[in-house]
Amino acid sequence: MAAISSSHPTRTASVKVRSLLRPRSWRALLRLLLVVLDMAALNLAAQLAYAFGTDSLAAAGFRMPADPLTPLRLSVLGSVTALIVFASHGLYEMKRGASRLDEAVKVVTAVSFTMVLVIFINALIGEFGGEEMPWTRDILVQGWGLAVAVCLLGRFLHRALVYALRRYFDIDTRRVLIVGAREPGRLVWNTIRRRPELGYRVQGFLSDTVPIGEIVDGLPVLGRTEHICRVIRATRADEVIIALSGRSSQDLVEVIALAEDESVEIKVYPDTFQLITNNEVSIGDLRDLPLVSVKNAALDNPWNRALKRGLDLVVASLVLLFAAPVMLLIALAIRLESRGPVFFLQERVGLDGKPFWMIKFRTMRPDAEQFGTWTVQNDPRVTRVGRWLRRTSLDELPQLINVLIGEMSIVGPRPEQARWVEQFRQQIPRYMRRHKEKAGLTGWAQVNGLRGDTSIEERTRYDLYYVENWSLLFDIKIILRTIINFITGRQENAY
């Protein structure tokens, strides 16, 4: 199967390096490196500005603070301020093919805004009895110019490093499918082919007009548009670019609906896109080739993911700490009632359709799975202790371990077994979109009574609403409703 840079002398080395971390971990590491470079650049600029501005301070009758911690305190406060400002300006989104000129303008704006805020913070420190850092006009001008220059230099080096990692080590790359093998699709492919450092690894075309297996501009046709789900899974694609020519809006919607069942990002070449009537799309670009992104899950944003992960760690740690004695008593009760393991491990499907081992307290006989897998009301396989655990949902406490190690979240769609996922994805439109987020210990569907032997279609609707409307407040609301339901005993359909 053809792909950009499919063979290279460093191929073996790239596989070894890439396998050290998961793709998302590499991207997080590269983003963290960019943050470190920016903060180092700003602090270096401040140090140099004061070093060069010694004469202007003396001429103005100022002297440096006697307390050596004063510059350090302002440096820490300034770095936190800069991080917030830079992030709010979208400087850590790491968009592929983003304009360097646009990035430079954002850097200039962010540095200017940060400087104004740091001056304000410095004045506040003085108002509250602390020692201020002295400054003059020369120091401000030199500091601003140096900050912009050093930040841009650091970002240039970071970009060069990212390009090298993508090109030679297959790190931070994306596997891409192009839907449409006629002129628009070929234009997309040739644009990507000219920029291998952007890290797109195009696997092939999907086309309803060109025979399967035919080579178009060096790239194979892998299937028809109706086969898109199968081809996405076979190629392990991360992104689908739809570039259809002469097709109706309805055809386009149908292709998008099929692709949305998979954990991929979807973009449309706007030459064929005639549905820009709401906020479901956003304009991006691939160098000079504009693309339209179909609305993604809210947690595709790295800062949203960081906020959610922070909430998960805090809540899971606190609950495990205070619930430890209860968990010991539960383990003892399970062991006293029946022989067998205390914990029940089962493979479930989580984020991006990847499997993981979910941990629960065992609530059934050890041989329960031999007599069926779907739990129903008054299930004879459930033990007496297990029935109480299920009614109170205390059997799910061990899943906090899954949360701590990053396999689950406190709030999210409930995970299912692979066999049910495969069945539901064929029966329920957009079912796989619920896997755009980590599986949750509780969720919007659960707090609304949709658990146990209830409608999968209705449950999926609630899950999709949560995925597409996530916010930190929404998570907190669901957690509070879960606590209230537990205290009041309103655990609907818990058996």
Side-chain angles (χ1 to χ4, degrees):
M1 190 174 291
I4 299 176
S5 302
S6 58
S7 60
H8 195 278
T10 60
R11 187 68 176 173
T12 303
S14 73
V15 171
K16 290 181 179 178
V17 173
R18 190 175 67 250
S19 64
L20 293 175
L21 292 172
R22 293 181 299 178
R24 281 195 175 185
S25 299
W26 276 114
R27 193 156 181 80
L29 192 61
L30 290 171
R31 186 177 285 109
L32 177 61
L33 176 61
L34 187 57
V35 171
V36 171
L37 286 173
D38 280 343
M39 298 307 105
L42 293 174
N43 282 283
L44 176 61
Q47 294 284 343
L48 291 174
Y50 273 97
F52 295 150
T54 304
D55 293 340
S56 66
L57 281 177
F62 295 128
R63 58 184 179 83
M64 293 296 287
D67 185 358
L69 292 179
T70 298
L72 179 61
R73 279 193 290 266
L74 189 61
S75 174
V76 172
L77 289 172
S79 296
V80 173
T81 302
L83 180 58
I84 295 171
V85 172
F86 274 53
S88 67
H89 280 73
L91 284 165
Y92 298 120
E93 293 179 5
M94 291 181 62
K95 292 182 178 179
R96 296 170 192 269
S99 165
R100 295 184 186 183
L101 179 59
D102 289 347
E103 182 182 36
V105 170
K106 286 183 179 180
V107 168
V108 171
T109 305
V111 167
S112 303
F113 193 37
T114 299
M115 181 167 285
V116 171
L117 291 176
V118 169
I119 292 172
F120 178 69
I121 291 169
N122 191 44
L124 279 180
I125 291 173
E127 288 295 322
F128 284 96
E131 201 170 10
E132 294 182 49
M133 283 291 292
W135 54 269
T136 63
R137 184 179 61 184
D138 289 347
I139 287 176
L140 289 182
V141 172
Q142 290 172 1
W144 179 86
L146 286 167
V148 170
V150 181
C151 270
L152 290 177
L153 176 61
R155 284 176 166 267
F156 171 79
L157 295 174
H158 182 272
R159 188 188 294 250
L161 172 64
V162 171
Y163 283 178
L165 290 174
R166 288 172 179 167
R167 192 165 191 170
Y168 301 114
F169 295 98
D170 271 351
I171 289 172
D172 192 37
T173 57
R174 292 180 72 77
R175 301 168 73 88
V176 177
L177 290 174
I178 300 175
V179 180
R182 297 172 73 177
E183 186 177 351
R186 291 166 62 189
L187 176 60
V188 171
W189 159 233
N190 286 315
T191 302
I192 292 175
R193 182 159 55 176
R194 288 195 300 269
R195 309 297 302 183
E197 71 275 9
L198 296 180
Y200 288 100
R201 303 291 183 258
V202 181
Q203 305 303 301
F205 292 107
L206 288 100
S207 176
D208 291 334
T209 58
V210 179
I212 297 174
E214 186 168 321
I215 304 298
V216 178
D217 289 351
L219 206 63
V221 175
L222 302 177
R224 301 286 180 235
T225 54
E226 64 188 46
H227 304 148
I228 189 168
C229 293
R230 190 189 313 163
V231 177
I232 288 172
R233 277 174 264 161
T235 58
R236 294 180 289 114
D238 305 297
E239 191 168 313
V240 171
I241 299 177
I242 302 174
L244 297 172
S245 177
R247 300 286 286 272
S248 68
S249 299
Q250 184 61 37
D251 289 339
L252 183 58
V253 170
E254 288 175 1
V255 174
I256 291 174
L258 285 171
E260 275 191 323
D261 283 344
E262 304 297 325
S263 298
V264 292
E265 185 174 345
I266 305 167
K267 292 182 179 177
V268 181
Y269 180 50
D271 179 57
T272 63
F273 194 79
Q274 302 170 11
L275 300 174
I276 308 175
T277 57
N278 54 34
N279 65 349
E280 292 295 306
V281 297
S282 61
I283 302 295
D285 65 80
L286 179 64
R287 285 295 172 181
D288 298 323
L289 185 66
L291 296 175
V292 178
S293 295
V294 176
K295 184 180 180 183
N296 294 316
L299 283 171
D300 284 347
N301 184 302
W303 301 106
N304 287 347
R305 286 203 305 270
L307 282 173
K308 186 171 177 64
R309 182 61 178 151
L311 180 67
D312 286 343
L313 290 173
V314 170
V315 173
S317 300
L318 289 174
V319 175
L320 276 175
L321 179 65
F322 289 106
V326 176
M327 293 175 71
L328 285 173
L329 291 174
I330 291 172
L332 181 62
I334 292 170
R335 202 58 191 268
L336 288 174
E337 183 183 19
S338 62
R339 299 182 63 85
V342 169
F343 297 107
F344 172 70
L345 275 72
Q346 190 176 65
E347 191 174 67
R348 298 289 180 97
V349 178
L351 180 68
D352 293 335
K354 294 182 173 60
F356 71 97
W357 289 98
M358 189 181 75
I359 312 169
K360 298 177 69 173
F361 280 123
R362 180 173 62 82
T363 58
M364 291 187 174
R365 294 157 37 188
D367 60 349
E369 286 199 316
Q370 299 175 21
F371 302 95
T373 56
W374 197 266
T375 310
V376 296
Q377 196 166 8
N378 299 318
D379 197 315
R381 298 171 299 164
V382 178
T383 63
R384 284 177 300 171
V385 171
R387 201 170 302 282
W388 175 74
L389 290 175
R390 283 173 173 269
R391 191 166 56 248
T392 58
S393 295
L394 290 175
D395 61 315
E396 296 176 358
L397 280 175
Q399 290 170 43
L400 292 166
I401 298 169
N402 291 118
V403 174
L404 284 179
I405 62 181
E407 294 173 333
M408 291 181 66
S409 177
I410 295 293
V411 181
R414 287 297 295 165
E416 301 288 359
Q417 296 178 57
R419 73 176 80 177
W420 300 119
V421 170
E422 188 59 36
Q423 178 181 324
F424 297 153
R425 78 189 299 167
Q426 296 172 17
Q427 297 174 346
I428 304 170
R430 303 179 72 224
Y431 176 80
M432 291 306 293
R433 189 163 173 78
R434 69 196 292 277
H435 292 283
K436 290 289 248 179
E437 293 189 15
K438 289 180 182 176
L441 195 148
T442 185
W444 186 230
Q446 282 67 43
V447 297
N448 283 283
L450 293 169
R451 53 188 295 173
D453 193 15
T454 55
S455 168
I456 298 298
E457 290 83 358
E458 189 69 15
R459 200 185 307 179
T460 300
R461 277 196 287 271
Y462 274 78
D463 287 339
L464 293 181
Y465 178 85
Y466 171 77
V467 168
E468 293 169 359
N469 295 276
W470 177 90
S471 70
L472 197 62
L473 287 176
F474 198 6
D475 267 8
I476 293 171
K477 174 183 176 180
I478 293 170
I479 291 170
L480 291 176
R481 282 190 58 173
T482 302
I483 294 171
I484 291 169
N485 288 348
F486 174 76
I487 293 172
T488 58
R490 290 186 298 181
Q491 303 282 350
E492 297 180 57
N493 299 310
Y495 45 77

